[in-house]
Amino acid sequence: MTGDKPLHFLARGGGDGAGLLHHLLVDRAVKVAVVLVALLVVALGMRLIWKKAGRAEPSRRGDR
């Protein structure tokens, strides 16, 4: 990927691939952010479903 130049050389801005490391880090940060947001949405959805199911349960028992 980076040829014969190590990543620390690219991180310091050396060579023609100076923007490569920055691009890779931004790409990784965006992917991590997407995963965190997805986990948050799933957690909130599960909490909402759990609350709705919990509220519906006593009224069903009262109907019997």
Side-chain angles (χ1 to χ4, degrees), residues 58-64:
S59 66
R60 289 184 194 154
R61 289 181 184 166
D63 291 341
R64 291 182 186 171

Side-chain angles (χ1 to χ4, degrees), residues 4-62:
D4 57 349
K5 296 179 175 75
L7 285 178
H8 62 83
F9 176 73
L10 295 175
R12 284 186 261 153
D16 55 350
L20 176 64
L21 186 61
H22 181 265
H23 175 73
L24 291 174
L25 291 174
V26 169
D27 183 57
R28 179 62 55 120
V30 168
K31 287 178 182 177
V32 168
V34 166
V35 168
L36 290 176
V37 169
L39 287 174
L40 180 65
V41 168
V42 167
L44 290 175
M46 288 176 64
R47 182 176 178 217
L48 179 67
I49 291 170
W50 191 270
K51 278 187 162 185
K52 293 285 185 180
R55 289 182 185 163
E57 192 65 34
S59 66
R60 289 184 194 154
R61 289 181 184 166

